[in-house]
Amino acid sequence: MNLSLRCPYPSRNRTGFTLLETILGLGIFAVMASCVFLIYTNAVRIDYESRRLSDLSMESYWTLSSIAEDLESSAAYRYGTEGEDHPVFDGNADSLRILVEGERSLQWVSYALADQHKGTVRKTVLGRRLKKNEDQVLSERSTQGALEVLTRVTSEFKGRPLTEKDPLAAEVLTKRIDGLTFLYGVKTESGLSWQKEWRKPEPPAAVRVVLRLADESSRDVLEFSRDILVSSARQE
Amino acid sequence: MKRFKDKNGAILLEALLAVTILAVALTAIMQSMLSGLRAAVVSSEYLRAASLLDSVMTEQFLTKPDALASRDEVEAKEPYERYRYSVRVFDEPDPLFPDLKLKRLETSVVWPAGNGKRTLSAALLLPGIAQP
């Protein structure tokens, strides 16, 4: 009987695995690897979530602080022509213009929403069956409205009301405004009552800013509200 | 045959060990990221509490000094539903002008966090009003 015909190699060189062993090994490895992959993807998601949350809350707080800083250094200044006072405080439901004491001079500061997306907003939606190269208008945009941009616009005060020809300097505070409301506080016997508009020449006692910032991708919304004392108001 | 078996076992064990070490390391990384998320949540809560505290102090500042009163654990209004605040008012003598009195306002905001509570407090001294 010639054994070498059935097994051409001597047994000491047989270091390979049988099919069963390989399958078993691969199976165990696959299970372990999928666990590891799950942990990894979770870690990445959590990291993203925490960044998004802290970005959103810092941006809200920073925006509120900027508005508060201007309101708290607003100027108690009266000026007028022909015996009539011009307003130094112009407040609407979603915009605000005040006269602020700058480093060297007085300046107009206004907060207003600017339309970020003039024209159509388009974004390719992944994971949906679309025609080749087709963009789809974001569905949440059309139902919820686009996120808006809050700008802070300054202009030098020249002893007269602001005209359209005056040069303006604008900065963008945030691009993720989902809602912005200004309310104007009037002192009453029982505390403060809040109005939606302010049309008087003298400033209100306080301004309430309700700010809602949203994250575009997750549609999470963070809402802040802050009552800010107006320094130029006559505090009795 | 015995030697072959031993060797195979050792390789499988090594593979298991390697994957386990990887899993432990990744779990540690995930734990640190989880604590990062927790920190972000806590910081966001503190920022909201600071905004609320500012609003409470503004309201107190605009209240007439003789109408200021201590309040315990008032529920905050929208959008601070989970937050409660309390105000304590003390009379404090003015060190410079003895006939004037200072009002010391201690405001604190409390909100639930896990099993316990978190608190943010601030004190405000209001200028004295001459009593006629």
Side-chain angles (χ1 to χ4, degrees), chain A residues 110-168:
Chain A
S110 50
Y111 288 91
L113 295 175
D115 194 2
Q116 182 184 12
H117 305 284
K118 282 184 177 151
T120 328
V121 181
R122 288 185 181 276
K123 186 179 174 183
T124 313
V125 180
L126 293 174
R128 258 194 235 174
R129 192 179 286 249
L130 292 172
K131 282 179 202 158
K132 200 179 178 187
N133 296 332
E134 187 194 17
D135 284 348
Q136 183 165 328
V137 178
L138 272 178
S139 54
E140 62 259 31
R141 280 278 162 78
S142 49
T143 54
Q144 293 189 348
L147 296 184
E148 286 170 294
V149 175
L150 178 63
T151 54
R152 177 183 184 269
V153 180
T154 55
S155 177
E156 205 182 317
F157 176 67
K158 289 176 178 157
R160 54 173 170 75
L162 207 58
T163 61
E164 283 178 11
K165 286 176 188 167
D166 286 328
L168 304 169

Side-chain angles (χ1 to χ4, degrees), chain A:
Chain A
M1 192 165 61
N2 190 358
L3 276 176
S4 65
L5 267 180
R6 281 164 60 194
C7 181
Y9 307 108
S11 69
R12 61 186 170 88
N13 283 336
R14 274 174 51 198
T15 52
F17 303 121
T18 63
L19 182 62
L20 196 69
E21 283 163 356
T22 315
I23 289 172
L24 193 73
L26 273 177
I28 292 172
F29 181 76
V31 170
M32 298 292 265
S34 64
C35 287
V36 168
F37 183 71
L38 257 176
I39 294 173
Y40 176 73
T41 49
N42 262 330
V44 170
R45 189 181 54 79
I46 287 168
D47 187 47
Y48 171 73
E49 288 275 305
S50 56
R51 261 176 230 214
R52 190 185 52 70
L53 179 67
S54 64
D55 277 2
L56 211 58
S57 47
M58 282 308 293
E59 210 166 300
S60 310
Y61 193 74
W62 190 80
T63 305
L64 280 181
S65 299
S66 168
I67 299 173
E69 201 182 309
D70 281 334
L71 282 170
E72 282 161 6
S73 55
S74 65
Y77 189 78
R78 285 182 73 177
Y79 75 106
T81 43
E82 294 160 12
E84 198 182 326
D85 273 357
H86 290 307
V88 293
F89 193 103
D90 183 21
N92 293 306
D94 62 356
S95 68
L96 176 73
R97 193 178 68 215
I98 48 173
L99 201 57
V100 172
E101 286 172 28
E103 277 178 25
R104 291 196 188 123
S105 59
L106 293 174
Q107 59 176 3
W108 291 109
V109 174
S110 50
Y111 288 91
L113 295 175
D115 194 2
Q116 182 184 12
H117 305 284
K118 282 184 177 151
T120 328
V121 181
R122 288 185 181 276
K123 186 179 174 183
T124 313
V125 180
L126 293 174
R128 258 194 235 174
R129 192 179 286 249
L130 292 172
K131 282 179 202 158
K132 200 179 178 187
N133 296 332
E134 187 194 17
D135 284 348
Q136 183 165 328
V137 178
L138 272 178
S139 54
E140 62 259 31
R141 280 278 162 78
S142 49
T143 54
Q144 293 189 348
L147 296 184
E148 286 170 294
V149 175
L150 178 63
T151 54
R152 177 183 184 269
V153 180
T154 55
S155 177
E156 205 182 317
F157 176 67
K158 289 176 178 157
R160 54 173 170 75
L162 207 58
T163 61
E164 283 178 11
K165 286 176 188 167
D166 286 328
L168 304 169
E171 60 177 312
V172 172
L173 290 178
T174 170
K175 291 181 176 176
R176 299 197 270 188
I177 299 279
D178 187 48
L180 174 73
T181 315
F182 291 111
L183 294 168
Y184 306 95
V186 188
K187 269 166 106 171
T188 58
E189 284 301 313
S190 56
L192 284 168
S193 81
W194 298 97
Q195 299 180 354
K196 285 184 177 172
E197 276 189 348
W198 192 260
R199 289 277 166 272
K200 293 175 190 166
E202 75 274 14
V207 173
R208 171 175 287 175
V209 187
V210 183
L211 185 69
R212 215 168 54 234
L213 256 65
D215 189 68
E216 254 187 38
S217 52
S218 65
R219 279 186 278 163
D220 277 356
V221 174
L222 205 62
E223 191 171 349
F224 275 67
S225 156
R226 183 161 161 188
D227 299 352
I228 302 160
L229 205 67
V230 181
S231 64
S232 55
R234 223 176 296 148
Q235 313 286 1
E236 283 131 27

